[in-house]
């Protein structure tokens, strides 16, 4: 075995048995470990001394947990604990050797126990929060790209640490505990979350409360959404607001610039099955919405489900499955008809509105609902003659044309009607003839058809509906 490399001068100057117990020596070590060459040459004895200080200082925290009157005496111990965690945190950065050395001393177990004591204190003084945060950062760094450390962190932290930290009032603690969860999770541990759904739901809640924090979002997109079983179990147990948050993340994932990876497509097909089934089961609850009662959470979930289905059917990898999903197209056409009839009443939130009141909120959850129903029909009829004919059989074409009137509650309504009519008539002479006859009988406005990009042309005894532009993509 080769002889150990000598310590750099700057490091050897602070690594002294008598001086390392001093706070300034710990701070010096923390600074020294910011450099990779110092991390690579650190002797194991340093970490043993840091661990000894950490254990000794943690005794004061244990005492304070038993006797709350001692909390005010924690200042010096918290300073040492914080610097111990900072030192160990820095030592682990991109250094597998240090990660292994520190892990093999059972430092992870000591750190987790101490963090749980911090949570037990339920104090929000800044010095305690700082120590709390640094401890979590250390756990994140020691687990980073090190499967052995990830296993040990998971062994000690799951489930208590995550249950204690993911709902903490301090957003940095929430972020750092989410980071540890992100780093430690794998496919087998996801199975364990199915038996501890509160942890998964706490991550959803964390993203809902702190949308600017990347770690809860990444846990959801890179781990949760890869498990249809977990998503289904979570969805059944979540509150309506949590469901909306999860659906928002799904929309963001499907609409991302990068397309779904090949191994993600089967997973999202499973998600599509869950969402389509759920939408069909509860879609009519939106009919309860009125101007006076526009905050029904179950209806808001249904509205968001429609948003996700629109984006999923705009994805070529998911479109084919949803085009043939039993009852989905029929359910959407039926709901459009009910919404259209309800909109004829002045008290309905779905009534066409040619202006926006000063007190109206443009973020109204029902805004664009009719447009999105029509868009979903258009997507499902894209190059699919069976669905084109099905909409015709349900008298859906006159219904869609009848919805095309100015409505500030449904931005781009006319554009989605145009899109859907084109998809309904593409290579479908029967649907083209139906619209042409409607125009001849005065049931379809000629000027409206031209505005939508169509004109009726008579060829012998036949009326032909002619598109004035190319067919759009879904």
């Amino acid at each position: 075995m080769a002889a150990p490399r000598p310590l750099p001068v700057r490091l050897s100057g602070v690594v002294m048995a008598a001086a390392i117990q001093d706070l300034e020596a710990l701070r010096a070590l923390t600074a020294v470990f910011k450099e990779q060459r110092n991390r690579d040459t650190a002797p194991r004895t340093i970490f043993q001394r840091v661990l000894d200080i950490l254990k000794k200082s943690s005794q004061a925290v244990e005492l304070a947990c038993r006797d709350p009157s001692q909390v005010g005496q924690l200042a010096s111990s918290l300073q040492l604990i914080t610097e111990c965690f900072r030192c160990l945190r820095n030592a682990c950065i991109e250094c597998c050797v240090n990660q292994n050395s520190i892990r093999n001393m059972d430092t992870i177990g000591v750190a987790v126990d101490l963090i749980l004591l911090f949570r037990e204190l339920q104090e929000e003084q800044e010095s305690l929060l700082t120590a709390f945060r640094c401890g979590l950062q250390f756990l994140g760094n020691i687990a980073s790209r090190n499967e052995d450390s990830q296993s040990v962190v998971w062994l000690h932290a799951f489930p208590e640490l995550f249950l204690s930290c993911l709902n903490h009032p301090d957003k940095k603690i929430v972020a750092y505990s989410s980071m540890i969860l992100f780093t430690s999770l794998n496919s087998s541990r996801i199975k364990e979350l199915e038996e501890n759904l509160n942890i998964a739901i706490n991550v959803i809640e964390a993203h809902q409360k702190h949308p600017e924090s990347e770690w809860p979002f990444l846990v959801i997109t890179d781990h949760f959404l890869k498990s249809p079983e977990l998503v289904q179990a979570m969805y059944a147990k979540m509150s309506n607001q949590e469901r909306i948050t999860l659906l928002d993340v799904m929309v963001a994932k499907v609409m991302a610039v990068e397309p779904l990876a090949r191994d993600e497509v089967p997973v999202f097909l499973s998600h599509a099955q869950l969402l389509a089934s759920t939408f069909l089961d509860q879609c009519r609850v939106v009919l309860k919405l009125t101007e006076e009662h526009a905050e029904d959470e179950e209806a808001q979930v249904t509205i968001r489900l429609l948003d996700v289905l629109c984006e999923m059917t705009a994805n070529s990898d998911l479109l084919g499955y949803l085009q043939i999903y039993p009852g989905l197209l029929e359910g959407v056409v039926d709901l459009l008809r009910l919404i259209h009839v309800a909109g004829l009443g002045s008290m309905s939130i779905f009534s066409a509105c040619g202006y926006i009141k000063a007190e109206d909120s443009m973020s109204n959850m029902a805004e664009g609902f009719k447009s999105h129903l029509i868009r979903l029909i258009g997507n499902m009829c894209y190059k699919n003659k069976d669905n084109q004919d099905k909409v015709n059989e349900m008298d859906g074409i006159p219904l869609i044309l009848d919805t095309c009137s100015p409505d500030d509650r449904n931005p781009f309504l006319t554009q989605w009607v145009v899109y859907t009519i084109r998809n309904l008539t593409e290579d479908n002479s029967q649907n083209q003839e139906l619209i042409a006859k409607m125009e001849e009988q005065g049931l379809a406005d000629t000027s409206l058809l031209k505005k939508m990009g169509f004109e009726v042309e008579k060829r012998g005894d036949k009326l032909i509906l002619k598109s004035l532009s190319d067919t759009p993509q879904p």
Side-chain angles (χ1 to χ4, degrees):
M1 180 181 294
R5 294 166 59 186
L7 291 176
V9 174
R10 289 194 304 154
L11 186 59
S12 61
V14 291
V15 183
M16 296 168 33
I20 199 169
Q21 298 182 47
D22 182 78
L23 182 61
E24 292 304 316
L26 282 170
R27 287 174 175 165
L29 277 175
T30 299
V32 163
F33 285 144
K34 290 181 179 180
E35 295 188 18
Q36 185 68 48
R37 65 189 182 94
N38 292 333
R39 295 196 291 271
D40 291 341
T41 56
R44 189 175 186 274
T45 53
I46 290 179
F47 307 127
Q48 185 61 59
R49 293 306 301 267
V50 174
L51 177 58
D52 291 342
I53 295 173
L54 188 63
K55 287 180 176 178
K56 185 176 180 180
S57 301
S58 67
Q59 294 173 3
V61 181
E62 293 176 10
L63 179 61
C65 287
R66 294 194 298 269
D67 181 3
S69 67
Q70 297 297 313
V71 171
Q73 310 300 318
L74 285 177
S76 60
S77 296
L78 289 175
Q79 281 186 314
L80 286 169
I81 289 169
T82 298
E83 215 55 55
C84 285
F85 279 142
R86 283 175 175 157
C87 176
L88 295 170
R89 174 198 67 190
N90 288 3
C92 289
I93 298 173
E94 296 182 359
C95 188
C96 183
V97 172
N98 288 353
Q99 289 175 322
N100 294 341
S101 295
I102 295 169
R103 180 190 70 242
N104 291 337
M105 297 175 185
D106 195 31
T107 312
I108 292 174
V110 173
V112 170
D113 289 343
L114 189 49
I115 287 168
L116 292 175
L117 289 176
F118 289 156
R119 191 65 174 108
E120 187 178 335
L121 285 174
Q122 296 185 342
E123 289 285 330
E124 295 187 20
Q125 62 188 59
E126 191 59 31
S127 58
L128 178 60
L129 291 176
T130 301
F132 201 149
R133 296 165 190 156
C134 289
L136 293 172
Q137 288 177 324
F138 158 64
L139 292 176
N141 282 8
I142 198 171
S144 179
R145 302 178 184 179
N146 189 312
E147 292 186 6
D148 290 336
S149 291
Q150 291 165 14
S151 297
V152 176
V153 168
W154 186 261
L155 177 66
H156 287 281
F158 184 84
E160 285 83 8
L161 182 139
F162 299 115
L163 290 171
S164 297
C165 297
L166 286 170
N167 59 4
H168 196 281
D170 182 77
K171 66 179 182 180
K172 290 184 179 180
I173 288 174
V174 173
Y176 298 151
S177 56
S178 299
M179 172 187 65
I180 297 168
L181 185 61
F182 174 84
T183 303
S184 303
L185 274 174
N186 58 26
S187 57
S188 64
R189 292 173 193 140
I190 282 287
K191 296 291 184 183
E192 294 184 57
L193 281 185
E194 293 177 30
E195 300 175 3
N196 291 270
L197 287 175
N198 286 339
I199 293 175
I201 293 173
N202 283 348
V203 174
I204 301 294
E205 186 179 353
H207 177 60
Q208 180 182 340
K209 291 180 178 178
H210 310 291
E212 74 287 351
S213 178
E214 66 174 341
W215 290 112
F217 180 81
L218 289 173
V219 172
I220 300 168
T221 57
D222 291 17
H223 290 294
F224 292 179
L225 292 186
K226 292 184 178 181
S227 172
E229 297 81 9
L230 176 62
V231 169
Q232 184 171 358
M234 289 169 56
Y235 196 90
K237 192 174 179 180
M238 288 191 295
S239 69
N240 285 319
Q241 284 302 318
E242 290 160 351
R243 289 170 178 165
I244 290 172
T245 300
L246 176 62
L247 293 172
D248 284 343
V249 176
M250 281 192 179
V251 167
K253 179 68 175 178
V254 174
M255 294 180 66
V257 175
E258 293 185 7
L260 294 175
R262 182 177 300 179
D263 61 341
E264 290 178 316
V265 172
V267 175
F268 270 79
L269 289 175
S270 295
H271 296 330
Q273 180 182 16
L274 170 65
L275 302 188
S277 172
T278 304
F279 179 79
L280 286 175
D281 287 343
Q282 66 182 58
C283 64
R284 296 197 178 194
V285 300
V286 298
L287 297 172
K288 298 188 296 183
L289 295 176
T290 65
E291 293 285 6
E292 287 74 22
H293 302 90
E295 301 300 324
D296 185 281
E297 289 188 353
E298 190 176 6
Q300 292 174 3
V301 172
T302 301
I303 291 166
R304 188 63 84 246
L305 282 167
L306 176 61
D307 295 343
V308 183
L309 290 172
C310 282
E311 297 303 334
M312 283 185 163
T313 51
N315 184 297
S316 59
D317 292 320
L318 307 178
L319 172 61
Y321 174 80
L322 287 169
Q323 282 181 315
I324 61 173
Y325 188 86
L328 181 58
L329 180 61
E330 296 91 333
V332 174
V333 174
D334 284 341
L335 183 58
L336 177 62
R337 181 173 286 109
L338 292 171
I339 291 295
H340 186 56
V341 172
L344 300 177
S346 59
M347 290 299 293
S348 174
I349 200 169
F350 300 108
S351 301
C353 179
Y355 62 92
I356 300 174
K357 300 176 184 177
E359 66 272 17
D360 278 353
S361 170
M362 288 302 292
S363 62
N364 189 302
M365 293 291 291
E367 181 181 314
F369 187 70
K370 188 186 296 184
S371 295
H372 289 178
L373 286 172
I374 294 171
R375 177 190 177 190
L376 183 54
I377 294 170
N379 286 355
M380 296 187 70
C381 291
Y382 178 69
K383 297 186 182 299
N384 188 304
K385 190 169 186 304
D386 288 342
N387 284 353
Q388 291 173 339
D389 293 343
K390 194 174 294 182
V391 173
N392 187 345
E393 293 165 6
M394 297 181 68
D395 293 326
I397 293 175
L399 170 65
I400 292 168
L401 289 171
D402 198 33
T403 64
C404 193
S405 57
D407 185 359
D408 283 326
R409 284 183 174 139
N410 284 276
F412 310 110
L413 176 62
T414 299
Q415 289 90 329
W416 287 121
V417 170
V418 170
Y419 165 80
T420 299
I421 292 297
R422 287 179 180 174
N423 283 354
L424 281 163
T425 57
E426 183 183 17
D427 299 326
N428 192 313
S429 58
Q430 185 178 3
N431 287 356
Q432 294 174 11
E433 185 177 351
L434 171 65
I435 296 176
K437 286 182 178 179
M438 288 177 62
E439 188 273 342
E440 183 185 41
Q441 297 168 5
L443 299 177
D445 188 342
T446 302
S447 62
L448 179 60
L449 287 176
K450 287 184 177 180
K451 183 178 178 182
M452 292 167 56
F454 297 97
E455 66 177 2
V456 176
E457 182 179 293
K458 191 166 186 177
R459 296 179 185 174
D461 295 333
K462 289 188 176 182
L463 294 171
I464 304 297
L465 183 70
K466 181 180 177 183
S467 175
L468 301 179
S469 58
D470 295 333
T471 303
Q473 295 290 319

